[in-house]
Amino acid sequence: MPDVLFHVPTRVVFGLDTVNRIAQVVAELGERAFLVTEAILYEGKVIGRVQELLDKKGVPHIVFDEVVPNATSKTVDEGVALARGSHADVVIGLGGVRTLSIAKSIAMTAGSPEGDMDDYLSGVQPQHPPLAYVALPTTCRDPFLLSDEYLVSDARDRSARIGRTQKGITKAVIVDPKLSLTLPAKYTATTILDTIMAAIEGYLSNRANFLSDTCFTRAIELAAPLAREGSQNVDDLRMRSNASAAGLLVALGLSTSKLGIGSALAYAVNARFLAPKSWVATILLPYVLEFSLNVRGDRIAHIARLLGEDISDATPVEAPQRAVEAVRRLVASLNLPSRLREFDIGLDEMIEVAGTARSFDMMNYLPRVVSTEDIYEMIKAAY
């Protein structure tokens, strides 16, 4: 078992209506806030609600709502210029994984009078103190929520890049399941499946340990029954709360473990071709399990149990295969895309994606050694 290095200094607030605490949390960290979000959240009045809470507390703030689905590191630089000009000392991220990473990147960069994302994406590590960062997720999952990492699409070549911020940048995370009500039914289902994939990858990683195992197995137990509900009962707060709890457990587990090959590919495909990350992850999930069948069969058999499969009559070879079958049945029952070609992506374009995926640090902790060619073979199988 690897050594367990565990340090999560972030204040975490979880529960229904906990968004009401945002102004108090921000006021304890600084005087001026910079709210980074995505314009679509105006529709659910989520942005207006956060602004109202800040206004009532007398917290001056500026809204930066330029995080679009194809946002890149250029969006970070635009936000940094505005944050510096407004003399903000607290950055609030309100939205999904992309928005929260861009907000964290702005907090990382804006504390310095100079410097931009090109520097950091080229390998320069920030040496100055960051602005305080507070996360308000509107989906049930963000694997980077409790880490000092961020995910950004490099504007220079549209490749996905994972970088590291200053330590302890995230001062608070407020997880209010009601904020996820803005997600449509299909996206709710795919984000839950994406949560399951992250939990499975962390559980199968060579960095897994007794602490992360506890988080990941409980997350799978919570999330497994919810994918169908997420596509049917979109207003069910019990479902939303359990999905958010699973996502928080995954983020906690990933503070000591690592994601895997499916996430690496999904991030690379999303950055290059704009295919929704959670939808790509849903397609790749059964292949992630198959990738580790021969080296993590006992753990995958346990995953089958967590997914609700009866493996009491199965042989050691059959038991893990039932986890793969269970995932395929679930995806089929939700009428979700099952092949990468459904995103109108050419197979020849995927060669570069395989190289990008192989470059991620998480690939060094897979349950078996993998080459770029191995990754491309998985892409062809899923294509």
Side-chain angles (χ1 to χ4, degrees), residues 194-215:
D194 196 8
T195 302
I196 293 172
M197 186 172 81
I200 287 173
E201 289 186 324
Y203 184 60
L204 299 178
S205 170
N206 285 339
R207 285 283 300 274
N209 54 76
F210 72 92
L211 181 60
S212 66
D213 284 355
T214 301
C215 294

Side-chain angles (χ1 to χ4, degrees), residues 34 36-37 64-68 70-84 91 97-111 115-121 128 131 150-155 161 165 169:
F34 188 72
V36 180
T37 189
F64 179 69
D65 57 8
E66 300 299 318
V67 185
V68 294
N70 61 344
T72 66
S73 56
K74 181 180 178 182
T75 305
V76 176
D77 289 333
E78 292 169 354
V80 166
L82 189 56
R84 285 172 177 161
V91 175
V97 177
R98 181 188 301 274
T99 300
L100 296 186
S101 272
I102 285 178
K104 187 186 290 187
S105 300
I106 291 172
M108 171 186 71
T109 308
D116 57 27
M117 282 302 292
D118 282 355
D119 295 331
Y120 301 130
L121 294 177
H128 54 274
L131 303 184
Y150 61 87
L151 171 74
V152 170
S153 297
D154 193 329
R161 306 292 291 275
T165 68
I169 189 172

Side-chain angles (χ1 to χ4, degrees), residues 68-256:
V68 294
N70 61 344
T72 66
S73 56
K74 181 180 178 182
T75 305
V76 176
D77 289 333
E78 292 169 354
V80 166
L82 189 56
R84 285 172 177 161
S86 68
H87 302 287
D89 42 25
V90 181
V91 175
I92 305 169
L94 174 67
V97 177
R98 181 188 301 274
T99 300
L100 296 186
S101 272
I102 285 178
K104 187 186 290 187
S105 300
I106 291 172
M108 171 186 71
T109 308
S112 169
E114 57 185 21
D116 57 27
M117 282 302 292
D118 282 355
D119 295 331
Y120 301 130
L121 294 177
S122 298
V124 176
Q125 285 299 115
Q127 302 299 318
H128 54 274
L131 303 184
Y133 171 59
V134 178
L136 272 174
T138 58
T139 69
C140 65
R141 91 286 185 239
D142 180 356
F144 309 103
L145 195 64
L146 297 177
S147 77
D148 294 329
E149 292 182 317
Y150 61 87
L151 171 74
V152 170
S153 297
D154 193 329
R156 296 170 294 185
D157 59 5
R158 289 218 59 90
S159 64
R161 306 292 291 275
I162 295 176
R164 188 167 293 279
T165 68
Q166 306 91 332
K167 290 184 178 180
I169 189 172
T170 306
K171 302 303 181 185
V173 170
I174 299 176
V175 181
D176 186 341
K178 282 188 176 180
L179 296 183
S180 69
L181 288 170
T182 57
L183 278 181
K186 290 289 188 181
Y187 274 91
T188 298
T190 58
T191 56
I192 291 171
L193 287 168
D194 196 8
T195 302
I196 293 172
M197 186 172 81
I200 287 173
E201 289 186 324
Y203 184 60
L204 299 178
S205 170
N206 285 339
R207 285 283 300 274
N209 54 76
F210 72 92
L211 181 60
S212 66
D213 284 355
T214 301
C215 294
F216 294 137
T217 54
R218 181 56 181 150
I220 296 169
E221 278 185 316
L222 279 172
L226 300 179
R228 289 189 184 89
E229 293 184 46
S231 67
Q232 298 167 358
N233 306 316
V234 292
D235 297 325
D236 185 347
L237 286 178
R238 179 200 58 81
M239 180 273 295
R240 297 280 180 177
S241 294
N242 285 341
S244 294
L248 182 59
L249 284 169
V250 169
L252 184 58
L254 288 172
S255 67
T256 65

